[in-house]
Amino acid sequence: MAEDRVRWEAAERAEIANHAHNGSWTLIDRSQVPTDRSIVRLIWVYKRKRSGALKARLCLQGCAQVRGVDFDQTFCATMRPTSLRALTATANSAGMRMRRWDVLAAYLQGELEQDEVVYCYAPPGYATTGKDGRSRICRVEKPIYGMAQAGRRWQRSFFPWLLDFNFTQCKSNP
């Protein structure tokens, strides 16, 4: 349907705007990519939300990343279900309200380590041509959905913020 096409394109533009605002990548000429490095593809993932809203997310094909070259560590701590139940029970018995946050473009907020350099093709439909006549390449500056290390990088950026607000990490969770 024509109106859906317009809405999907608007969702894509919103996602590209998120990346531009966060400085997710820098466009470079292909000649600037070291010959020993691979170039990973970006793909669009589309989702129709229950509310009827359309979401377009740009994802890096993390399965094509090479451990030890494109990334090192990927572990990202999460709360154990038993800890969540204990927290909920404690809050309930104390008459407290619990809230949750939904951080817009959360994974895009992290910071890559100095030695984490990933190259990818420009987003499908948004490619530009470089001085050498070939498509320009994106040098990834911040985590992108689909990157093997994206969750860890978001967590490493978010935890200090929580500590600044006097939150403490549960000792029984990693």
Side-chain angles (χ1 to χ4, degrees):
M1 296 204 274
E3 65 269 359
D4 271 357
R5 179 176 175 219
V6 170
R7 290 175 58 213
W8 283 119
E9 288 172 348
E12 279 186 5
R13 284 192 303 275
E15 179 72 357
I16 291 290
N18 276 337
H19 286 284
H21 175 65
N22 290 317
S24 297
W25 59 72
T26 303
L27 286 171
I28 61 172
D29 286 334
R30 191 172 191 138
S31 59
Q32 294 176 275
V33 178
T35 55
D36 62 333
R37 298 303 300 270
S38 61
I39 303 172
V40 184
R41 288 182 50 214
L42 288 173
I43 59 170
W44 285 107
V45 176
Y46 301 97
K47 181 177 181 177
R48 186 181 301 268
K49 302 265 187 161
R50 288 183 191 159
S51 65
L54 303 181
K55 175 75 178 173
R57 178 163 285 155
L58 195 55
C59 296
L60 187 129
Q61 286 189 314
C63 60
Q65 287 183 275
V66 179
R67 180 180 291 277
V69 176
D70 297 320
F71 68 95
D72 185 22
Q73 298 180 349
T74 60
F75 175 78
C76 181
T78 59
M79 182 180 278
R80 293 182 178 142
T82 52
S83 298
L84 180 59
R85 284 192 296 273
L87 180 65
T88 305
T90 302
N92 186 42
S93 67
M96 301 169 85
R97 288 180 29 187
M98 292 184 67
R99 294 188 178 175
R100 64 185 173 106
W101 297 314
D102 184 12
V103 178
L104 181 66
Y107 276 22
L108 307 183
Q109 309 298 325
E111 297 290 334
L112 292 176
E113 297 287 324
Q114 285 291 91
D115 60 340
E116 290 179 312
V117 180
V118 177
Y119 299 96
C120 64
Y121 294 101
Y126 295 88
T128 60
T129 305
K131 295 175 187 173
D132 58 3
R134 299 189 289 178
S135 292
R136 296 185 85 195
I137 301 299
C138 299
R139 182 183 191 277
V140 179
E141 306 291 345
K142 293 200 172 192
I144 299 175
Y145 291 103
M147 289 180 81
Q149 68 272 39
R152 182 177 179 84
R153 295 294 155 239
W154 155 242
Q155 181 185 34
R156 296 290 178 188
S157 297
F158 186 57
F159 272 25
W161 183 85
L162 290 173
L163 295 174
D164 286 346
F165 282 93
N166 295 321
F167 282 84
T168 56
Q169 185 172 352
C170 179
K171 300 289 185 211
S172 64
N173 281 310

